[in-house]
Amino acid sequence: VTTGAGGAVHHVILLWRFPLLLVAAVFSELASRLKGRAVAALANVGGLLCASNLLVVNQYYVTLVRNGPGVRWTDAFSPLVAWLYEARSQTIATADWGILETLNLMSEGELPVQDASYALRFNQVPEYRELVPNLLAMPDTIWVTHVEAAEQWQGTRAALLKTAGSLGYSQELLETIHDRNGRPIFEIFRFRQHG
């Protein structure tokens, strides 16, 4: 039905309510047909299912608190946004999938963010060819990438460093942003032209 509209787990999980609607419809119909003790037994089964669901949700909550969120839905965005506000750069370029949207959401569009991840992945497409060199030429541009282990599009960070190096720029690592569990998630760069 939705070919090409996304296939990640978070798209599927949005359907979680529909099986519960079927269970509720069956329970409702059974309750209207049954009398006396059968309705009480049905209510007990419903209560047991609810308690089981609460235990499962609690286990997920305990795991989330203990291990922190995954790399894609990381809590490292809060310190990243704070750092970028503090930097007051005129241009912030993102170099991996999933950074741009969250920065725009968390800053309510106030941060001057541009995405270069597509240009780094599809640099043979004419409309993308000049984007990365133009961003590198701006002296105030700050680049945000995922650390290599946290990349969403593997190789995007390496493509940025390779492209910058081939154009005569050297990288200057400004900051590594960690999540609350101490895992490095983001790297913030500035590039300077050689000599």
Side-chain angles (χ1 to χ4, degrees), residues 6-191:
V9 169
H10 67 279
H11 290 254
V12 176
I13 203 72
L14 294 173
L15 302 173
W16 71 272
R17 292 178 186 95
F18 292 108
L20 297 176
L21 290 174
L22 294 175
V23 171
V26 169
F27 270 65
S28 176
E29 185 61 27
L30 284 174
S32 69
R33 291 178 185 216
L34 299 175
K35 301 291 180 221
R37 291 184 179 207
V39 173
L42 190 60
N44 286 335
V45 170
L48 184 63
L49 290 174
C50 288
S52 172
N53 186 44
L54 286 173
L55 289 172
V56 170
V57 170
N58 184 62
Q59 182 59 46
Y60 280 113
Y61 179 72
V62 167
T63 303
L64 176 66
V65 169
R66 181 180 53 227
N67 301 333
V71 172
R72 173 64 187 103
W73 308 108
T74 179
D75 57 7
F77 271 109
S78 293
L80 174 64
V81 169
W83 194 99
L84 293 172
Y85 267 118
E86 192 80 18
R88 301 185 197 286
S89 177
Q90 296 299 310
T91 307
I92 300 166
T94 60
D96 195 11
W97 183 86
I99 301 172
L100 171 75
E101 298 84 1
T102 306
L103 289 180
N104 280 333
L105 175 71
M106 292 183 73
S107 72
E108 297 181 3
E110 290 180 356
L111 289 173
V113 184
Q114 281 190 271
D115 184 52
S117 56
Y118 285 97
L120 290 163
R121 280 189 63 141
F122 308 109
N123 59 2
Q124 299 308 315
V125 177
E127 64 192 75
Y128 291 141
R129 226 176 252 141
E130 295 303 314
L131 179 64
V132 173
N134 288 344
L135 287 170
L136 286 166
M138 295 178 187
D140 192 37
T141 302
I142 290 176
W143 291 82
V144 179
T145 68
H146 283 109
V147 297
E148 189 174 354
E151 278 185 310
Q152 300 299 297
W153 284 347
Q154 295 297 315
T156 308
R157 182 181 172 281
L160 170 63
L161 299 178
K162 181 180 176 184
T163 301
S166 71
L167 294 171
Y169 292 91
S170 60
Q171 70 189 44
E172 175 188 350
L173 179 63
L174 301 175
E175 188 72 41
T176 300
I177 305 291
H178 298 77
D179 66 8
R180 72 169 183 226
N181 289 1
R183 296 176 294 201
I185 303 294
F186 299 108
E187 288 182 329
I188 303 171
F189 292 102
R190 180 175 283 135
F191 290 93

